[in-house]
Amino acid sequence: MPHVITQACCGDAACVFACPVNAIQPNPADELFVSAEMLYIDPKTCVDCGACVAACPVGAISKDSKLAADQLPFVEINRLFHEAHPGASRPVQAIVPSLIKLAEGDTPLRVAIVGAGPAGMYAADELLKQDGVEVVVYDRLSTPYGLVRSGVAPDHQMTKGVDKLFRHIEDLPGFHYALGVDVGESVRHADLAARYSAVVYATGASEDRPLHLPGANLPGVSSATRFVAWYNGHPSYDNVDFDLSHRRVVIIGNGNVALDAARILTTDPSELAKSDISDVALTALRQSRVEEVVLLGRRGPEHAAFTLPELVGLMARRDLQVVVASEIPPAPEWADVQLRHKLDLLRSLPTSEAAGKGGRRIVLQFWSSPTHLTGQDVVEGVNIRNSATNPTVDDGPTHLSAGLVLTSVGYRGSLVRDLPFDHDKGSVPHQSGRVDGVPGTYVVGWIKRGPRGFIGTNKSCARETVNSLLEDVTSGALNAAPAAGHLPTLLRRWHPDSLDLAAWRRIDEEEVALGLLHGRPRVKKLSRVGFSRGSEVTR
C-alpha cells in the first residue's frame, strides 16, 4: 500500500531525505529537480513506513487508500514519473553536499538576509544550524513569508501550510526580524555591509515581463501578478480596482498563475469566504458579473505552461466548467509519458461548442497569438491570430470581447540597488551564490537563479549559497567582523520603526483570531508597512 504525493507538494524535499529506501524523486541535486512539477513516490519501491508523511511541511502525502476522490489521479501521476525516469533513483547522500561546519575559532557570524520569503527563510534555517550564528531577516513589508502569504492562491490552503515550518525557523536561537525596512531606500547596502559579517539577498523576481502589443497600456489591462497580489491582500495593491462588470475576462498566458487567477474569478464567492482571501477582493468578487475566463496560449497544448498537478486539480472542480476552445490533437511522437497523460486529460475535456450552457467556465484556448488590444478609453477586447499548425483551427484573425485583460507571460527580477545586475536574465550575476565583484554578498532564490522552481526548491538553493558563505568564512575570504553589541538593542537603534518577531507574532495572532470568529484561516487586516515597534498593532 504505497504512499502518494499530491497536488499540494511544495518541493521542499524533506521527504526525500526522510525516505529510507530512496523511493522519492527527483533528488535536490538531480538535473530534473528544478524543472520537476512536484516530487513523486515510486510505488514499487515504497515500503509504506510513513517517514515521508511526518517530514512533509504541507501535508501533501497520504496512503493511496486514504486519498480523497480529487486526489486519486495522483496515484497514476506518481507512477508515471518513475516510468518516464527509471534512472532517477540515485543515493541522496552521495549527491547532496553536507553543510560546512564552522570551527570554534572561526569569525563570529551576524548575517543580514534581505527578503522574508521562502528563499530568505530557508537561508536563515541553514545558517542557524551553526552554533552562535545570528541572522536578521529584513523585508520592506510589515509581514513576512513573501509569496506564501501574497502569491499562493487562497483556495490552496495546504500549500500555505509551509508557514508552519517558517514559524519553527523563527523560533531558532539567533533569529531576528527587521520588518518594514526598505533595503536600498531607507537602508543602503553599505550600511548592512558595515554592520554584518555578510549580506544575503533573497528579493525574488516579482517584476512582470512586459507585453509589447498595441493597446497594452489601455485602462482595464493589468497583469495576473497584480491581480493575485490584490486578492491576497498585498498592501501595495489594496487600492487597485479591477473591472469585473463584464461577462468575459481574457488572460494572455497559461501558466499556473494564470490558472490561479482564472479559478478565483470563476469560484463562488461563498466558497472563497472560507479562505484567507482579502476582504477587499471578496467584496468585489461578490458583485462580479464574470461568467467566462479565456486563457490564451500562443503555442499548442504540448507547450502549455501550467503543470499537470494544477490541471488535475482544476478538472476535479465540480462547481465550474473547464473546456477547450477546439479539439486537441494526439500527442506528438516526442512527448514523454507524463506529457502524454497531460494531453490525454486535455483531450477528455469538452470543446466550447459541445459544453453545456450556464454556469461559470474556464476556456483553454491554444494556438492563439494576441496581436492587438482593442478599445478607445478602456480595453474592449483582444484581436487574435490563430495558428495554422493546428488543423482544427481556421487560420485568420479573431476577436474576443472582454472588460478585463490580464497578462501572465512570465517574471523577472528587479534591479537590486548597489549590486550588479544582468538585465537580459533579470537576475544578479553570481558564482554558486557569491555576487560577482561584491565580497561578502550573496544571493538566493529567484534573484539568483531566475523564476524557476517552486517554494521548496529554495531549500537546496539556500544550502548551496550558505555553503559558499561558510566556505568563505573557513578559508578566510570572509573576514568582516559584525558590529559589536547586543543585537536586539542595535536593531532598535538602527531601525526604530521596524517590526521585530514579537510584533509580527501579535499581527499573526490577531489575524488568526479574527479568522476564527468568521470561520476562516485568518483575516488579513494588518498588512501595512510602517507599524512602529512596540505600538498598538492596528490598521
Side-chain angles (χ1 to χ4, degrees):
M1 189 180 295
H3 283 71
V4 178
I5 300 179
T6 65
Q7 181 188 7
C9 177
C10 71
D12 173 87
C15 59
V16 175
F17 296 95
C19 180
V21 293
N22 197 28
I24 305 176
Q25 300 295 333
N27 288 320
D30 195 292
E31 290 180 0
L32 292 169
F33 183 73
V34 172
S35 61
E37 297 180 344
M38 54 181 279
L39 301 177
Y40 309 86
I41 295 176
D42 183 357
K44 294 180 180 178
T45 307
C46 177
V47 294
D48 196 28
C49 68
C52 56
V53 177
C56 178
V58 294
I61 307 176
S62 298
K63 286 186 176 182
D64 62 357
S65 59
K66 294 184 178 181
L67 295 173
D70 60 345
Q71 295 176 320
L72 289 174
F74 288 92
V75 174
E76 184 71 355
I77 289 171
N78 279 249
R79 185 190 69 80
L80 286 173
F81 175 84
H82 290 275
E83 179 181 324
H85 305 285
S89 298
R90 292 182 283 164
V92 178
Q93 295 80 3
I95 62 174
V96 178
S98 299
L99 199 66
I100 292 171
K101 296 295 289 183
L102 296 180
E104 273 189 40
D106 285 326
T107 303
L109 279 185
R110 279 181 179 170
V111 180
I113 297 175
V114 182
M121 297 302 289
Y122 279 119
D125 187 33
E126 295 294 338
L127 283 163
L128 292 172
K129 290 175 181 176
Q130 308 289 326
D131 293 335
V133 173
E134 290 185 285
V135 168
V136 180
V137 178
Y138 285 78
D139 203 283
R140 69 183 183 87
L141 300 182
S142 297
T143 52
Y145 307 164
L147 288 179
V148 169
R149 180 179 173 93
S150 61
V152 176
D155 59 349
H156 280 5
Q157 288 297 313
M158 287 182 69
T159 303
K160 286 176 179 280
V162 73
D163 64 1
K164 297 182 182 66
L165 171 62
F166 298 159
R167 290 189 185 93
H168 169 73
I169 296 169
E170 292 170 344
D171 289 333
L172 295 174
F175 183 95
H176 305 274
Y177 272 134
L179 301 173
V181 178
D182 194 346
V183 174
E185 296 299 328
S186 59
V187 177
R188 298 291 295 273
H189 174 74
D191 299 321
L192 297 181
R195 295 167 180 170
Y196 297 93
S197 311
V199 184
V200 178
Y201 284 86
T203 52
S206 58
E207 187 175 313
D208 288 293
R209 291 192 177 276
L211 182 69
H212 299 293
L213 288 179
N217 295 322
L218 281 169
V221 180
S222 189
S223 71
T225 305
R226 288 169 60 86
F227 184 71
V228 168
W230 171 72
Y231 67 59
N232 271 313
H234 191 292
S236 298
Y237 299 96
D238 61 352
N239 292 321
V240 176
D241 290 321
F242 294 91
D243 186 355
L244 306 179
S245 64
H246 298 260
R247 174 181 174 274
R248 180 186 291 126
V249 173
V250 172
I251 301 179
I252 300 173
N254 59 13
N256 284 351
V257 172
L259 280 192
D260 284 347
R263 210 174 53 249
I264 296 303
L265 282 164
T266 52
T267 294
D268 187 333
S270 63
E271 290 299 315
L272 294 174
K274 302 172 186 176
S275 73
D276 62 348
I277 192 170
S278 156
D279 284 346
V280 172
L282 184 59
T283 298
L285 289 165
R286 287 189 190 279
Q287 300 167 357
S288 171
R289 295 182 179 178
V290 175
E291 298 176 2
E292 178 179 273
V293 180
V294 181
L295 276 65
L296 297 180
R298 180 173 57 87
R299 299 189 291 177
E302 68 274 19
H303 299 291
F306 55 76
T307 61
L308 177 58
E310 287 300 315
L311 176 62
V312 169
L314 182 64
M315 291 177 62
R317 295 282 295 267
R318 294 293 176 262
D319 56 333
L320 55 89
Q321 285 188 315
V322 183
V323 304
V324 289
S326 58
E327 292 184 5
I328 305 298
E333 291 186 4
W334 52 264
D336 65 20
V337 64
Q338 283 188 297
L339 178 55
R340 289 179 183 277
H341 185 51
K342 183 176 180 179
L343 294 173
D344 285 344
L345 290 177
L346 288 171
R347 282 168 58 81
S348 72
L349 292 172
T351 63
S352 301
E353 293 182 357
K357 304 297 182 183
R360 298 183 179 185
R361 70 178 189 173
I362 295 172
V363 181
L364 304 176
Q365 183 166 328
F366 303 102
W367 304 284
S368 299
S369 296
T371 60
H372 188 89
L373 278 67
T374 62
Q376 294 296 323
D377 300 322
V378 65
V379 71
E380 296 176 0
V382 183
N383 281 348
I384 301 162
R385 182 181 66 252
N386 287 330
S387 170
T389 57
N390 176 20
T392 68
V393 177
D394 294 330
D395 191 28
T398 60
H399 177 78
L400 280 173
S401 62
L404 174 64
V405 176
L406 301 176
T407 64
S408 186
V409 293
Y411 308 95
R412 52 181 287 113
S414 300
L415 179 72
V416 180
R417 191 168 183 176
D418 302 319
L419 299 191
F421 193 73
D422 187 326
H423 290 275
D424 292 331
K425 296 180 179 179
S427 59
V428 171
H430 68 94
Q431 303 297 322
S432 299
R434 300 177 178 91
V435 174
D436 291 353
V438 190
T441 307
Y442 305 82
V443 284
V444 68
W446 279 6
I447 197 63
K448 167 187 172 183
R449 66 182 191 273
R452 296 178 296 117
F454 301 95
I455 292 172
T457 314
N458 292 296
K459 185 173 184 176
S460 55
C461 177
R463 174 165 285 224
E464 179 191 56
T465 293
V466 170
N467 255 337
S468 293
L469 190 158
L470 297 176
E471 186 178 86
D472 291 346
V473 174
T474 57
S475 69
L478 182 64
N479 53 19
H486 181 240
L487 187 53
T489 302
L490 292 173
L491 288 170
R492 284 193 292 272
R493 188 176 79 213
W494 293 338
H495 316 297
D497 294 326
S498 68
L499 284 166
D500 58 12
L501 175 58
W504 155 237
R505 288 287 172 85
R506 289 196 297 273
I507 294 173
D508 184 46
E509 289 169 5
E510 185 168 337
E511 288 188 344
V512 172
L514 284 169
L516 188 62
L517 288 175
H518 296 88
R520 302 171 64 182
R522 68 173 64 237
V523 174
K524 296 176 182 175
K525 291 193 173 291
L526 308 168
S527 303
R528 289 287 188 181
V529 176
F531 298 116
S532 57
R533 181 190 297 267
S535 67
E536 285 296 319
V537 183
T538 61
R539 194 174 177 88

